[in-house]
Amino acid sequence: QVQLVESGGGLVQAGGSLRLSCAASGRTFSNYAMGWFRQAPGKDREFVAGINWTGGSTGYADSVKGRFTISRDNAENRLYLQMNSLKPEDTAVYYCALRGSTGVRRNSYEYNYWGQGTQITVSS
């Protein structure tokens, strides 16, 4: 039974920074790729960033490239998303997700387990 728990969400002004964290349990964490997705009201859940099983390969949505950084600490079973230069259009619920395989993927159906989500609100 896999559980993913996000933390670090909240309210921030445009141009500011936040770091999200995701803790995983119930599975051998270090052997699987992970990702971050987000969903704004009236929109589908969209890919934000992904990282392979070792942390040596990453992928980003064009809208966040150069501003966000995904990383992982396999010894601590944690996933991170550093968000800099935040914009009002980044406002959404952010979700941590775990794959059943090792490579970076951009579609939500490629992920087997999901966290509860955490709200990020960026004010102008």
Side-chain angles (χ1 to χ4, degrees), residues 76-89:
E76 297 294 331
N77 291 333
R78 298 194 79 90
L79 177 74
Y80 301 97
L81 184 68
Q82 179 67 46
M83 304 185 292
N84 298 327
S85 301
L86 283 161
K87 305 174 180 179
E89 51 263 46

Side-chain angles (χ1 to χ4, degrees), residues 59-123:
Y60 297 91
D62 289 342
S63 59
V64 307
K65 197 172 299 180
R67 299 188 297 122
F68 291 9
T69 302
I70 188 171
S71 62
R72 66 191 300 160
D73 184 341
N74 286 341
E76 297 294 331
N77 291 333
R78 298 194 79 90
L79 177 74
Y80 301 97
L81 184 68
Q82 179 67 46
M83 304 185 292
N84 298 327
S85 301
L86 283 161
K87 305 174 180 179
E89 51 263 46
D90 295 319
T91 295
V93 177
Y94 283 69
Y95 297 90
C96 168
L98 175 67
R99 294 200 67 211
S101 192
T102 59
V104 174
R105 295 291 186 271
R106 294 172 176 265
N107 294 306
S108 61
Y109 61 76
E110 299 277 8
Y111 293 80
N112 296 333
Y113 301 98
W114 297 83
Q116 81 286 350
T118 186
Q119 178 71 48
I120 304 298
T121 302
V122 184
S123 61

Side-chain angles (χ1 to χ4, degrees), residues 7-90:
S7 61
L11 176 66
V12 66
Q13 293 182 348
S17 298
L18 287 172
R19 189 175 78 155
L20 301 184
S21 178
C22 173
S25 63
R27 184 179 287 267
T28 303
F29 188 85
S30 62
N31 293 131
Y32 302 99
M34 299 190 74
W36 291 97
F37 290 75
R38 66 187 183 187
Q39 188 166 25
K43 300 182 68 176
D44 291 335
R45 189 169 298 184
E46 67 174 349
F47 173 79
V48 176
I51 189 165
N52 80 334
W53 70 291
T54 65
S57 182
T58 59
Y60 297 91
D62 289 342
S63 59
V64 307
K65 197 172 299 180
R67 299 188 297 122
F68 291 9
T69 302
I70 188 171
S71 62
R72 66 191 300 160
D73 184 341
N74 286 341
E76 297 294 331
N77 291 333
R78 298 194 79 90
L79 177 74
Y80 301 97
L81 184 68
Q82 179 67 46
M83 304 185 292
N84 298 327
S85 301
L86 283 161
K87 305 174 180 179
E89 51 263 46
D90 295 319

